[in-house]
Amino acid sequence: MNLFLARFTLGCLLLAPLLACDSSAEDDTPGGGDSAVTGVWNRFGSEFGYHTDVAYGGIAGQSSDRVYMCELPGSPSAGLYKGRLISPRMIRWDSEHNLPDYEVVFEDQTMRFRPQNGSNTFLGQYQKGSWTAGACDLTLENGQLVDNSATAHLRFNNSGELKINSVTIGGEAIPIHATETCSVTTLIPSGSGNNGTLTVSINYSGVGVEGPYRRTQNHTLYRSDFKPGCNKLEAEFACGALAVCVYVVP
């Protein structure tokens, strides 16, 4: 009997560390389960008042491991950043962003990032919430983030003496095509002010009665003039006294 108790006690002593390790082991799934991480997280308590939305999955047309992070206007790094969860606790951002991997850290009901670049830079705290309407041209529809971004190119035949050398919309250069095509387009910026004002700048050249000339004209369009998907701009010369008219083809 004493021998049995001794063996039982020894067995418990050997098993105890294993049980202890098992009870303290971290769950491989962020937040303790898929449902805990999936969804939208909002930054809060920013020292400088910056706002950031992060979506884990739930993005229309994307795989469930896709991550979208939108730095809202006001932040010096405003814009959309895309990546994916390469493990339950690690985000690898798309290469064009030139960002290190981010470790996802969960503490109670909050989430934060820790960049894997040898530093412990604090990147703010997040809590479960909802996507800011229209942030980074994304809208939450029926539980999924839908891309409402717009792209554009200018349609103009540059084979004659009158040529369009360059076109920018809100500072972003857009391509010029002689035919209708959406193969090469540039993302339209959100615009400035409450009404989303965009300056369209056209640099063109030609030959007049006094010889060759080169000019630049600016026009005002609005972000609402551009619809989701591919937009074509038309340039019409001589619609006024030496004027150039620019409009979005519906």
Side-chain angles (χ1 to χ4, degrees):
M1 184 69 176
N2 291 338
L3 180 61
F4 172 78
L5 288 174
R7 287 177 177 174
F8 180 77
T9 302
L10 178 61
C12 289
L13 290 172
L14 291 174
L15 186 59
L18 297 178
L19 292 174
C21 289
D22 184 66
S23 63
S24 63
E26 293 184 346
D27 191 337
D28 283 340
T29 304
D34 288 339
S35 61
V37 60
T38 300
V40 176
W41 296 74
N42 306 122
R43 188 175 182 176
F44 70 95
S46 168
E47 180 182 358
F48 301 103
Y50 299 152
H51 295 279
T52 309
D53 293 351
V54 179
Y56 293 96
I59 304 163
Q62 301 292 324
S63 57
S64 60
D65 62 352
R66 204 72 163 118
V67 181
Y68 279 13
M69 179 174 70
C70 178
E71 292 274 5
L72 275 70
S75 167
S77 54
L80 181 64
Y81 300 83
K82 300 178 180 181
R84 66 180 64 255
L85 284 167
I86 58 172
S87 76
R89 294 184 182 273
M90 193 71 68
I91 300 172
R92 176 153 296 162
W93 301 103
D94 292 0
S95 58
E96 63 263 27
H97 304 311
N98 196 29
L99 289 172
D101 294 348
Y102 278 17
E103 181 184 359
V104 183
V105 181
F106 288 88
E107 297 170 337
D108 297 325
Q109 300 300 311
T110 66
M111 179 271 290
R112 63 184 174 89
F113 296 131
R114 184 161 56 201
Q116 300 303 290
N117 60 356
S119 73
N120 282 320
T121 304
F122 181 67
L123 299 176
Q125 285 186 301
Y126 294 78
Q127 59 190 0
K128 273 289 187 71
S130 182
W131 194 264
T132 303
C136 292
D137 285 328
L138 293 161
T139 304
L140 198 60
E141 298 179 8
N142 299 320
Q144 281 199 319
L145 277 182
V146 177
D147 185 356
N148 288 313
S149 62
T151 58
H153 68 270
L154 182 76
R155 183 171 61 184
F156 187 79
N157 191 338
N158 261 338
S159 62
E161 288 187 346
L162 187 63
K163 299 184 183 299
I164 295 180
N165 305 305
S166 64
V167 182
T168 61
I169 301 177
E172 295 289 333
I174 67 168
I176 304 167
H177 295 295
T179 58
E180 294 187 18
T181 177
C182 287
S183 60
V184 181
T185 54
T186 301
L187 197 66
I188 301 301
S190 57
S192 59
N194 294 330
N195 56 4
T197 302
L198 288 164
T199 297
V200 180
S201 182
I202 296 183
N203 179 274
Y204 62 98
S205 57
V207 179
V209 293
E210 297 180 357
Y213 64 87
R214 189 181 183 105
R215 300 185 181 121
T216 298
Q217 282 196 342
N218 294 324
H219 305 264
T220 298
L221 291 177
Y222 300 96
R223 186 59 178 75
S224 58
D225 293 329
F226 299 90
K227 305 306 178 187
C230 178
N231 293 263
K232 295 180 285 292
L233 270 70
E234 291 280 14
E236 180 181 332
F237 286 82
C239 57
L242 298 178
V244 181
C245 294
V246 179
Y247 54 92
V248 181
V249 177

